[in-house]
Amino acid sequence: MYLSNWFKFRGPLYTHSQSALYLFLVCVADSQGISYYGDKAIMDRLCMDSDGLKTARSGLIQNGLIAWQRPIYQVLALDPAPGKSKRHGSMLRLSDILKAAAEGNHD
């Protein structure tokens, strides 16, 4: 399913800022959905101010699309079908990410 269709039928309407932030994070995330871009870099690239970023981020977190623990963002897996019960994702621990990177595990 195309991402735009998923957004269209997902349920709540997303703001322009939420959509821009989500699509940015999807594009820059690694294979685990992790993005290391800091708030300043994201605001510069998306022409967003601090309040706009905070509002967009909060909306995406509330809808279970991303997890965030400064300075790391994680794009969470999409539900397979709209209308299913809302799932709650959690971030990977930084120590697990670093351990996997040191061991060369990229799966």
Side-chain angles (χ1 to χ4, degrees):
M1 175 185 293
Y2 290 104
L3 189 58
S4 61
N5 287 339
W6 183 87
F7 266 110
K8 188 179 192 181
F9 297 108
R10 173 80 171 156
L13 297 176
Y14 295 96
T15 66
H16 174 80
S17 296
Q18 289 171 340
S19 298
L21 177 58
Y22 184 75
L23 293 174
F24 175 81
L25 293 172
V26 166
C27 289
V28 300
D30 65 12
S31 63
Q32 298 294 317
I34 305 291
S35 170
Y36 301 94
Y37 276 78
D39 288 353
K40 173 89 170 90
I42 292 171
M43 289 186 294
D44 289 346
R45 283 165 178 78
L46 297 180
C47 299
M48 233 183 242
D49 63 17
S50 179
D51 289 337
L53 177 60
K54 288 177 186 175
T55 301
R57 180 175 54 227
S58 294
L60 295 176
I61 291 169
Q62 288 174 355
N63 285 293
L65 295 175
I66 66 169
W68 176 70
Q69 184 176 353
R70 180 173 291 162
I72 298 172
Y73 287 82
Q74 183 177 23
V75 176
L76 302 175
L78 300 177
D79 290 337
K84 299 284 184 188
S85 62
K86 186 175 176 183
R87 56 146 204 63
H88 298 279
S90 62
M91 289 190 66
L92 296 171
R93 292 185 314 174
L94 183 57
S95 60
D96 293 338
I97 295 167
L98 296 174
K99 181 179 177 184
E103 294 171 354
N105 296 336
H106 301 296
D107 295 334

